[in-house]
Amino acid sequence: MKKRCSSILLTFLLFNTIISAAAAEQTNIHTESKNSSFNDISGHWAEPQITKAVAAGFVNGYSDGTFKPDATVTGEQFLTMMVKALRYPIEAPRSGESWFAPYKQTAVSHKLYNDDYVSGLDQPITRGEITGTLVRATQDSVYRTLVKEEMTKRFSPEHLANQYPFESYEKDKIKIESSPYFKGNLIVNPDNPESTIKQLDQLLSDIPKPKDSLNWTADDFKHTAVIGSAKNVLSYINDGLNPIKDLNEKQTTQNRMIYEAALRGLLTGTGNGKLSLDSKVSRAQAVTLVNRVAAFNTGERFEADKYTVGNAELEWHKTNLVTLLPQYFSHPANGEDFQYEKMISTSPGGKVNCTVEKYVVVDLDDPQDPNRSLVTDHDYGWFNDTRYFKLQDVSGGYAIFSINKVTLTGNPNVAFDKIQPCSASIYNEDWYRTPSNAPDAQSLNRNYGFSPWNPKYEQIMSVVDIAGVELGTITYINGSLIPKTILNSDHEFKIQFSPLGDWPGSVQNIYSSRMK
């Protein structure tokens, strides 16, 4: 017995030695301090976050009493912090493995890491690289929140009375609960609708099905009615769950992760909406981010900066429409995201290519809008059927800039050395039918197109002059104005792509949305 106890004690000490070595390795020192009163964090912007992180046990300081808040962190160190903060179980390293191997294995198994860190796990990590980990670490919390909201709405008395697509939810419920093959009551828990799905699936598995299609018994009719009601309720639940599952699966690309991390308030801007994706993450920033993830997963939500999210949306799909104009563009009509990859046009001979590089919304009343330079760096004009106005004089509206790139790889042989460039524009049937008679630049009543202003001829320029140019890229910017006053419409709000105007081509819908 004494020998066995000695063996257990030896194993315990060996395990603790391994874990201690791992903890030291993760910050590249030999010993660490667990004292949160470090001599280099007083007055630092992240002092409260550092203290909180040390108390939570997912990071420590250095043996010299410092925390080194502005030192960079590697991918290994960041993942180790995240795994510890989320309290995932960790095994001891196997013989020959590094201290980080168990943490990496856990990070991969819990989908925190998917070969995202292009710099290498042992190198300082950037803000852009960590977005995938931030999103995946909070994905289940977001999913459960969306499910709860959707199920609460779908099973509210008002929604069931008006939106249940079958005869009556109450009648289906009574039929199901009357069956001896259904266990319990039909109560859909918004936090866990999967339990109801399991109940109904079990019912459909257990209930007898009619064997003779010509000679049904009374029980056959009863069972068939129950089966129909169970399928109705299952369909109703899944119709709410499936779009959320689809959204969950779509959030996989790196640029989409950047947007989601900003939207959730996990990745904050570095000033005026700047993302600074290539900036290295410091220890202070790392613990702040991990603290936010832990709080998010316990139900706390963070206010996201509009312009940070808008610039992250630009990274994702080349536009900030959903962020800046949610009243019109946050409810996709067909479930499709903004299809920026379709905004490309090529001449028949291949000598001219045109793409819409970005489609950017600017708040004309906000001098702090991070994309304000699009308004001030160039002169644009627009027309109201009777006279021209300057874009810089407009207030009470938004300008949506279509930034178009025309690339020439040879002489296209077009008349007058002019090319009608491709571009994106906004369209709504009701707006189109509204008279374009805004009395001044402060009283927009619908959407208006704007183009570069030609001061020599006092008019707008809708073409690109390629005289003397056979090779190279020309940037042409035009766009749309819309008022801040919400213009209600039952018709879809569309973003349309117009191809190069000198050759045949059809206008394409890039995105469609409806108001709530």
Side-chain angles (χ1 to χ4, degrees), residues 16-40:
N16 274 298
T17 299
I18 292 171
I19 294 300
S20 297
E25 184 74 21
Q26 74 188 43
T27 46
N28 298 319
I29 57 173
H30 296 294
T31 57
E32 291 185 328
S33 169
K34 295 184 179 181
N35 179 7
S36 61
S37 300
F38 304 110
N39 59 33
D40 60 347

PDB file of all heavy atoms in Angstrom, residues 16-40:
ATOM      1  N   ASN A  16       2.240  17.723 -12.285  1.00  0.00           N
ATOM      2  CA  ASN A  16       2.325  19.140 -11.947  1.00  0.00           C
ATOM      3  C   ASN A  16       3.573  19.781 -12.528  1.00  0.00           C
ATOM      4  O   ASN A  16       3.567  20.948 -12.909  1.00  0.00           O
ATOM      5  CB  ASN A  16       2.286  19.346 -10.434  1.00  0.00           C
ATOM      6  CG  ASN A  16       0.866  19.414  -9.910  1.00  0.00           C
ATOM      7  OD1 ASN A  16       0.118  20.302 -10.278  1.00  0.00           O
ATOM      8  ND2 ASN A  16       0.501  18.459  -9.061  1.00  0.00           N
ATOM      9  N   THR A  17       4.677  19.013 -12.601  1.00  0.00           N
ATOM     10  CA  THR A  17       5.904  19.534 -13.200  1.00  0.00           C
ATOM     11  C   THR A  17       5.685  19.837 -14.672  1.00  0.00           C
ATOM     12  O   THR A  17       6.114  20.866 -15.192  1.00  0.00           O
ATOM     13  CB  THR A  17       7.046  18.514 -13.034  1.00  0.00           C
ATOM     14  OG1 THR A  17       7.262  18.293 -11.644  1.00  0.00           O
ATOM     15  CG2 THR A  17       8.328  19.044 -13.677  1.00  0.00           C
ATOM     16  N   ILE A  18       4.987  18.930 -15.348  1.00  0.00           N
ATOM     17  CA  ILE A  18       4.706  19.105 -16.779  1.00  0.00           C
ATOM     18  C   ILE A  18       3.842  20.330 -17.005  1.00  0.00           C
ATOM     19  O   ILE A  18       4.122  21.162 -17.861  1.00  0.00           O
ATOM     20  CB  ILE A  18       4.021  17.849 -17.350  1.00  0.00           C
ATOM     21  CG1 ILE A  18       5.001  16.674 -17.360  1.00  0.00           C
ATOM     22  CG2 ILE A  18       3.496  18.113 -18.760  1.00  0.00           C
ATOM     23  CD1 ILE A  18       4.356  15.342 -17.709  1.00  0.00           C
ATOM     24  N   ILE A  19       2.763  20.465 -16.225  1.00  0.00           N
ATOM     25  CA  ILE A  19       1.856  21.591 -16.383  1.00  0.00           C
ATOM     26  C   ILE A  19       2.559  22.907 -16.053  1.00  0.00           C
ATOM     27  O   ILE A  19       2.385  23.918 -16.732  1.00  0.00           O
ATOM     28  CB  ILE A  19       0.616  21.413 -15.505  1.00  0.00           C
ATOM     29  CG1 ILE A  19      -0.195  20.212 -15.999  1.00  0.00           C
ATOM     30  CG2 ILE A  19      -0.255  22.659 -15.524  1.00  0.00           C
ATOM     31  CD1 ILE A  19      -0.668  20.342 -17.435  1.00  0.00           C
ATOM     32  N   SER A  20       3.392  22.908 -15.008  1.00  0.00           N
ATOM     33  CA  SER A  20       4.113  24.124 -14.632  1.00  0.00           C
ATOM     34  C   SER A  20       5.078  24.523 -15.733  1.00  0.00           C
ATOM     35  O   SER A  20       5.227  25.701 -16.067  1.00  0.00           O
ATOM     36  CB  SER A  20       4.872  23.915 -13.321  1.00  0.00           C
ATOM     37  OG  SER A  20       3.970  23.656 -12.262  1.00  0.00           O
ATOM     38  N   ALA A  21       5.742  23.540 -16.309  1.00  0.00           N
ATOM     39  CA  ALA A  21       6.653  23.829 -17.405  1.00  0.00           C
ATOM     40  C   ALA A  21       5.891  24.395 -18.593  1.00  0.00           C
ATOM     41  O   ALA A  21       6.350  25.311 -19.267  1.00  0.00           O
ATOM     42  CB  ALA A  21       7.390  22.547 -17.815  1.00  0.00           C
ATOM     43  N   ALA A  22       4.712  23.847 -18.829  1.00  0.00           N
ATOM     44  CA  ALA A  22       3.892  24.347 -19.939  1.00  0.00           C
ATOM     45  C   ALA A  22       3.500  25.792 -19.695  1.00  0.00           C
ATOM     46  O   ALA A  22       3.545  26.629 -20.599  1.00  0.00           O
ATOM     47  CB  ALA A  22       2.635  23.480 -20.084  1.00  0.00           C
ATOM     48  N   ALA A  23       3.101  26.094 -18.469  1.00  0.00           N
ATOM     49  CA  ALA A  23       2.689  27.470 -18.159  1.00  0.00           C
ATOM     50  C   ALA A  23       3.851  28.422 -18.340  1.00  0.00           C
ATOM     51  O   ALA A  23       3.683  29.546 -18.827  1.00  0.00           O
ATOM     52  CB  ALA A  23       2.173  27.543 -16.719  1.00  0.00           C
ATOM     53  N   ALA A  24       5.045  28.001 -17.942  1.00  0.00           N
ATOM     54  CA  ALA A  24       6.204  28.862 -18.115  1.00  0.00           C
ATOM     55  C   ALA A  24       6.521  29.057 -19.586  1.00  0.00           C
ATOM     56  O   ALA A  24       6.827  30.155 -20.031  1.00  0.00           O
ATOM     57  CB  ALA A  24       7.407  28.246 -17.386  1.00  0.00           C
ATOM     58  N   GLU A  25       6.441  27.974 -20.333  1.00  0.00           N
ATOM     59  CA  GLU A  25       6.771  28.023 -21.754  1.00  0.00           C
ATOM     60  C   GLU A  25       5.862  28.974 -22.511  1.00  0.00           C
ATOM     61  O   GLU A  25       6.279  29.667 -23.443  1.00  0.00           O
ATOM     62  CB  GLU A  25       6.652  26.616 -22.351  1.00  0.00           C
ATOM     63  CG  GLU A  25       7.066  26.506 -23.814  1.00  0.00           C
ATOM     64  CD  GLU A  25       8.561  26.571 -23.993  1.00  0.00           C
ATOM     65  OE1 GLU A  25       9.280  26.299 -23.025  1.00  0.00           O
ATOM     66  OE2 GLU A  25       9.008  26.910 -25.088  1.00  0.00           O
ATOM     67  N   GLN A  26       4.568  29.015 -22.119  1.00  0.00           N
ATOM     68  CA  GLN A  26       3.614  29.787 -22.900  1.00  0.00           C
ATOM     69  C   GLN A  26       3.899  31.282 -22.855  1.00  0.00           C
ATOM     70  O   GLN A  26       3.389  32.040 -23.648  1.00  0.00           O
ATOM     71  CB  GLN A  26       2.189  29.513 -22.442  1.00  0.00           C
ATOM     72  CG  GLN A  26       1.820  30.155 -21.124  1.00  0.00           C
ATOM     73  CD  GLN A  26       0.479  29.679 -20.648  1.00  0.00           C
ATOM     74  OE1 GLN A  26       0.156  28.509 -20.709  1.00  0.00           O
ATOM     75  NE2 GLN A  26      -0.323  30.596 -20.174  1.00  0.00           N
ATOM     76  N   THR A  27       4.696  31.782 -21.911  1.00  0.00           N
ATOM     77  CA  THR A  27       5.066  33.194 -21.907  1.00  0.00           C
ATOM     78  C   THR A  27       6.577  33.365 -22.052  1.00  0.00           C
ATOM     79  O   THR A  27       7.125  34.434 -21.789  1.00  0.00           O
ATOM     80  CB  THR A  27       4.595  33.881 -20.612  1.00  0.00           C
ATOM     81  OG1 THR A  27       4.921  33.063 -19.492  1.00  0.00           O
ATOM     82  CG2 THR A  27       3.103  34.145 -20.648  1.00  0.00           C
ATOM     83  N   ASN A  28       7.250  32.293 -22.456  1.00  0.00           N
ATOM     84  CA  ASN A  28       8.668  32.335 -22.759  1.00  0.00           C
ATOM     85  C   ASN A  28       9.535  32.753 -21.568  1.00  0.00           C
ATOM     86  O   ASN A  28      10.482  33.527 -21.699  1.00  0.00           O
ATOM     87  CB  ASN A  28       8.943  33.270 -23.947  1.00  0.00           C
ATOM     88  CG  ASN A  28       8.251  32.793 -25.196  1.00  0.00           C
ATOM     89  OD1 ASN A  28       8.222  31.602 -25.474  1.00  0.00           O
ATOM     90  ND2 ASN A  28       7.677  33.706 -25.946  1.00  0.00           N
ATOM     91  N   ILE A  29       9.157  32.293 -20.378  1.00  0.00           N
ATOM     92  CA  ILE A  29       9.965  32.541 -19.183  1.00  0.00           C
ATOM     93  C   ILE A  29      10.059  31.240 -18.402  1.00  0.00           C
ATOM     94  O   ILE A  29       9.367  30.274 -18.692  1.00  0.00           O
ATOM     95  CB  ILE A  29       9.364  33.647 -18.290  1.00  0.00           C
ATOM     96  CG1 ILE A  29       7.925  33.270 -17.888  1.00  0.00           C
ATOM     97  CG2 ILE A  29       9.348  34.982 -18.986  1.00  0.00           C
ATOM     98  CD1 ILE A  29       7.343  34.217 -16.879  1.00  0.00           C
ATOM     99  N   HIS A  30      10.911  31.246 -17.379  1.00  0.00           N
ATOM    100  CA  HIS A  30      11.093  30.025 -16.599  1.00  0.00           C
ATOM    101  C   HIS A  30      10.151  29.939 -15.412  1.00  0.00           C
ATOM    102  O   HIS A  30       9.734  28.865 -15.019  1.00  0.00           O
ATOM    103  CB  HIS A  30      12.547  29.927 -16.130  1.00  0.00           C
ATOM    104  CG  HIS A  30      13.513  29.786 -17.264  1.00  0.00           C
ATOM    105  ND1 HIS A  30      13.549  28.684 -18.086  1.00  0.00           N
ATOM    106  CD2 HIS A  30      14.450  30.641 -17.736  1.00  0.00           C
ATOM    107  CE1 HIS A  30      14.490  28.836 -19.008  1.00  0.00           C
ATOM    108  NE2 HIS A  30      15.046  30.021 -18.824  1.00  0.00           N
ATOM    109  N   THR A  31       9.805  31.061 -14.844  1.00  0.00           N
ATOM    110  CA  THR A  31       8.828  31.056 -13.753  1.00  0.00           C
ATOM    111  C   THR A  31       7.897  32.223 -13.939  1.00  0.00           C
ATOM    112  O   THR A  31       8.256  33.242 -14.525  1.00  0.00           O
ATOM    113  CB  THR A  31       9.521  31.179 -12.382  1.00  0.00           C
ATOM    114  OG1 THR A  31      10.309  32.366 -12.370  1.00  0.00           O
ATOM    115  CG2 THR A  31      10.378  29.970 -12.084  1.00  0.00           C
ATOM    116  N   GLU A  32       6.677  32.103 -13.426  1.00  0.00           N
ATOM    117  CA  GLU A  32       5.680  33.148 -13.574  1.00  0.00           C
ATOM    118  C   GLU A  32       5.182  33.613 -12.221  1.00  0.00           C
ATOM    119  O   GLU A  32       5.257  32.890 -11.225  1.00  0.00           O
ATOM    120  CB  GLU A  32       4.484  32.638 -14.378  1.00  0.00           C
ATOM    121  CG  GLU A  32       4.812  32.389 -15.834  1.00  0.00           C
ATOM    122  CD  GLU A  32       3.570  32.004 -16.605  1.00  0.00           C
ATOM    123  OE1 GLU A  32       2.680  31.379 -16.013  1.00  0.00           O
ATOM    124  OE2 GLU A  32       3.486  32.329 -17.790  1.00  0.00           O
ATOM    125  N   SER A  33       4.645  34.834 -12.213  1.00  0.00           N
ATOM    126  CA  SER A  33       4.041  35.373 -11.008  1.00  0.00           C
ATOM    127  C   SER A  33       2.539  35.377 -11.152  1.00  0.00           C
ATOM    128  O   SER A  33       2.020  35.837 -12.160  1.00  0.00           O
ATOM    129  CB  SER A  33       4.543  36.806 -10.769  1.00  0.00           C
ATOM    130  OG  SER A  33       3.786  37.438  -9.755  1.00  0.00           O
ATOM    131  N   LYS A  34       1.837  34.854 -10.124  1.00  0.00           N
ATOM    132  CA  LYS A  34       0.378  34.876 -10.141  1.00  0.00           C
ATOM    133  C   LYS A  34      -0.167  36.072  -9.354  1.00  0.00           C
ATOM    134  O   LYS A  34      -1.364  36.186  -9.148  1.00  0.00           O
ATOM    135  CB  LYS A  34      -0.163  33.564  -9.570  1.00  0.00           C
ATOM    136  CG  LYS A  34       0.186  32.365 -10.432  1.00  0.00           C
ATOM    137  CD  LYS A  34      -0.439  31.102  -9.894  1.00  0.00           C
ATOM    138  CE  LYS A  34      -0.093  29.905 -10.781  1.00  0.00           C
ATOM    139  NZ  LYS A  34      -0.711  28.647 -10.302  1.00  0.00           N
ATOM    140  N   ASN A  35       0.727  36.945  -8.940  1.00  0.00           N
ATOM    141  CA  ASN A  35       0.329  38.145  -8.215  1.00  0.00           C
ATOM    142  C   ASN A  35      -0.223  39.162  -9.223  1.00  0.00           C
ATOM    143  O   ASN A  35       0.439  39.495 -10.194  1.00  0.00           O
ATOM    144  CB  ASN A  35       1.546  38.710  -7.481  1.00  0.00           C
ATOM    145  CG  ASN A  35       1.194  39.976  -6.713  1.00  0.00           C
ATOM    146  OD1 ASN A  35       0.033  40.354  -6.634  1.00  0.00           O
ATOM    147  ND2 ASN A  35       2.217  40.592  -6.143  1.00  0.00           N
ATOM    148  N   SER A  36      -1.445  39.656  -8.988  1.00  0.00           N
ATOM    149  CA  SER A  36      -2.039  40.597  -9.925  1.00  0.00           C
ATOM    150  C   SER A  36      -1.557  42.027  -9.702  1.00  0.00           C
ATOM    151  O   SER A  36      -1.911  42.931 -10.438  1.00  0.00           O
ATOM    152  CB  SER A  36      -3.572  40.557  -9.817  1.00  0.00           C
ATOM    153  OG  SER A  36      -3.985  40.929  -8.515  1.00  0.00           O
ATOM    154  N   SER A  37      -0.741  42.264  -8.664  1.00  0.00           N
ATOM    155  CA  SER A  37      -0.220  43.612  -8.408  1.00  0.00           C
ATOM    156  C   SER A  37       1.122  43.770  -9.106  1.00  0.00           C
ATOM    157  O   SER A  37       2.196  43.710  -8.477  1.00  0.00           O
ATOM    158  CB  SER A  37      -0.074  43.842  -6.895  1.00  0.00           C
ATOM    159  OG  SER A  37      -1.319  43.718  -6.250  1.00  0.00           O
ATOM    160  N   PHE A  38       1.077  43.925 -10.384  1.00  0.00           N
ATOM    161  CA  PHE A  38       2.306  44.028 -11.162  1.00  0.00           C
ATOM    162  C   PHE A  38       2.827  45.460 -11.123  1.00  0.00           C
ATOM    163  O   PHE A  38       2.066  46.416 -10.970  1.00  0.00           O
ATOM    164  CB  PHE A  38       2.054  43.582 -12.596  1.00  0.00           C
ATOM    165  CG  PHE A  38       1.483  42.197 -12.699  1.00  0.00           C
ATOM    166  CD1 PHE A  38       0.175  41.991 -13.105  1.00  0.00           C
ATOM    167  CD2 PHE A  38       2.252  41.094 -12.359  1.00  0.00           C
ATOM    168  CE1 PHE A  38      -0.357  40.720 -13.176  1.00  0.00           C
ATOM    169  CE2 PHE A  38       1.729  39.814 -12.436  1.00  0.00           C
ATOM    170  CZ  PHE A  38       0.422  39.627 -12.844  1.00  0.00           C
ATOM    171  N   ASN A  39       4.127  45.607 -11.299  1.00  0.00           N
ATOM    172  CA  ASN A  39       4.739  46.931 -11.163  1.00  0.00           C
ATOM    173  C   ASN A  39       4.745  47.740 -12.457  1.00  0.00           C
ATOM    174  O   ASN A  39       5.317  48.833 -12.494  1.00  0.00           O
ATOM    175  CB  ASN A  39       6.173  46.809 -10.610  1.00  0.00           C
ATOM    176  CG  ASN A  39       7.070  45.961 -11.514  1.00  0.00           C
ATOM    177  OD1 ASN A  39       6.928  45.956 -12.734  1.00  0.00           O
ATOM    178  ND2 ASN A  39       8.001  45.241 -10.890  1.00  0.00           N
ATOM    179  N   ASP A  40       4.096  47.207 -13.513  1.00  0.00           N
ATOM    180  CA  ASP A  40       4.116  47.945 -14.781  1.00  0.00           C
ATOM    181  C   ASP A  40       2.720  48.124 -15.391  1.00  0.00           C
ATOM    182  O   ASP A  40       2.594  48.383 -16.581  1.00  0.00           O
ATOM    183  CB  ASP A  40       5.032  47.251 -15.783  1.00  0.00           C
ATOM    184  CG  ASP A  40       4.604  45.828 -16.114  1.00  0.00           C
ATOM    185  OD1 ASP A  40       3.736  45.292 -15.378  1.00  0.00           O
ATOM    186  OD2 ASP A  40       5.109  45.254 -17.088  1.00  0.00           O
TER     187      ASP A  40
END
